């Protein structure tokens, strides 16, 4: 109250830098990363970002919208892309040969601080060929802020709650027929929570599953590419810092906007591994992450330290499974995906070279092709044979 304007400016700038760093850590980055000074002027960079925002096609796909109610009355937004009879044969042959896909619904669950548009390339490839559902997790994208996380009696977010949210969406958006579940990062954890709480439902309805850049547990051991001292410092102070930032959301959001260059550099480092990522794709990822309010970042982060769903993976044991990750994922390292494949011996393990955490955006064709193979193995394309058997693959990650 009694601070001078200079002191107040200094305070929100400090909070802004912390908010930027920790916001990106929560979405796939780490505090304490040194970013080299950019040589291009700030005004030029701002104009470039605006140009990419205006012209970038990513995240522009829309389907038939719907809404499901979670157990606490949170509104969960989803979109459905139906099969189209007039889809060009060349597109169908590109993924499935000459066979028509059988009725199946492919359900995509996105990661932390992202939204359903993070599956842009896979959605575009499958659009009209198979029925797909894309949904926004609570407090993300177009879904409502978690009702249970609001007000004086707010309760923490849990991965178990996210699993029940997914069940609520499935009950409305795909009430019958076989399902293939696809989840990235937090989305894969959501699938595990669904299986743990509704094992009979998963065994009866789910015919295939894809775990992309995710983990079954032990996330507290991830180093985010930091030296040991840095990791220990982050682990020690992060919970308290997040609580403080979440309680000053407006101040921190101002700071995040003011530190956009730092924010963009951190996102690129911790989302992608390739040096030649399309600037429009990098900006698209940045927009998704920066649109997640800091209070949501704070609400969700503690749930991941508690996440342990290795036992739940057994529910997926008798169906085709894809376990895929980038080989340089600093957020959910590929070793975590290898653990998932190890617990599911019949799973196909794919490690994408030069791939980071947002591998489905960085190497979209590699991910889409493996999803198409999974659909074949799951019987979504009848009479096509078995497709590639369970294997460890280091795939050619060509960009689309």
């Amino acid at each position: 109250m009694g601070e001078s304007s200079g002191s107040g400016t200094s305070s929100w700038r400090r909070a802004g830098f912390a908010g930027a760093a920790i916001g990106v850590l929560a979405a796939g980055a780490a505090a304490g990363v040194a970013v080299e000074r950019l040589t291009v002027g700030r005004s030029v960079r701002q104009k470039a970002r605006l140009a990419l925002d205006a012209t970038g096609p990513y995240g522009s796909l829309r389907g038939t919208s719907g809404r499901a109610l979670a157990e606490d009355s949170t509104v969960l937004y989803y979109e459905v892309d139906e099969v189209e009879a007039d889809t060009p044969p060349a597109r169908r042959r590109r993924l499935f040969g000459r066979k028509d896909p059988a009725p199946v619904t492919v359900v995509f669950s996105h990661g932390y601080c992202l939204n359903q548009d993070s599956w842009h390339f896979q959605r575009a490839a499958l659009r009209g060929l198979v029925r797909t559902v894309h949904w926004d997790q609570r407090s993300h994208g177009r879904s409502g802020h978690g009702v249970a996380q609001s007000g004086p009696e707010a309760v923490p977010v849990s991965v178990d709650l996210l699993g029940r949210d997914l069940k609520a969406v499935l009950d409305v958006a795909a009430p019958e027929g076989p399902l293939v579940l696809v989840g990235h990062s937090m989305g894969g954890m959501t699938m595990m929570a669904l299986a743990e709480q509704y094992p009979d439902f998963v065994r009866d309805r789910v015919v295939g599953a894809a775990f992309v850049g995710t983990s079954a547990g032990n996330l507290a051991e991830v180093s985010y590419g930091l030296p040991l001292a840095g990791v220990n410092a982050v682990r020690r102070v992060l919970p308290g810092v997040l609580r403080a930032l979440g309680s000053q959301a407006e101040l921190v959001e101002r700071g995040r906007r003011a530190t956009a260059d730092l924010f963009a550099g951190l996102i690129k480092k911790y989302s992608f591994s390739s040096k030649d990522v399309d600037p429009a794709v990098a900006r698209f990822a940045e927009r998704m992450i920066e649109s997640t309010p800091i209070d949501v970042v704070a609400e969700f982060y503690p749930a991941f330290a508690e996440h342990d769903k290795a036992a739940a993976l057994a529910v997926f044991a008798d169906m085709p499974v894809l376990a895929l990750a980038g080989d340089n994922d600093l957020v959910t390292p590929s070793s975590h995906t290898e653990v998932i494949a190890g617990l599911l011996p019949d799973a196909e393990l794919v490690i994408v070279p030069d791939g980071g955490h947002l591998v489905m955006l960085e190497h979209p064709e590699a991910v889409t092709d493996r999803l198409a193979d999974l659909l074949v193995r799951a019987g979504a394309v009848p009479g096509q044979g078995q497709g590639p058997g369970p294997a460890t693959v280091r795939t050619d990650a060509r960009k689309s």
Side-chain angles (χ1 to χ4, degrees), residues 68 105 107 133 165-176 179 181 194 201 205-206:
T105 299
V107 183
V133 173
D165 285 351
L166 175 55
K167 179 62 162 56
V169 171
L170 294 174
D171 287 345
V172 177
E176 57 185 19
L179 303 170
L181 303 181
L194 174 78
F201 173 86
R205 295 281 311 279
V206 178

Side-chain angles (χ1 to χ4, degrees), residues 259-297:
T259 56
D261 292 333
L262 171 62
F263 196 66
L266 287 167
I267 289 174
K268 188 171 182 180
K269 179 176 179 64
Y270 283 90
S271 296
F272 307 109
S273 176
S274 309
K275 297 185 182 301
D276 60 345
V277 174
D278 182 347
V281 171
R283 174 57 186 159
F284 172 50
E286 180 186 349
R287 277 170 34 218
M288 280 191 289
I289 295 172
E290 71 184 5
S291 68
T292 306
I294 192 63
D295 55 336
V296 174
V297 175

Side-chain angles (χ1 to χ4, degrees), residues 15-16 18-20 22-23 240-250 252 294-295 298:
I22 292 180
V241 172
L242 278 174
R243 284 194 297 272
L245 293 175
S247 67
Q248 302 182 58
E250 182 177 353
V252 174
I294 192 63
D295 55 336

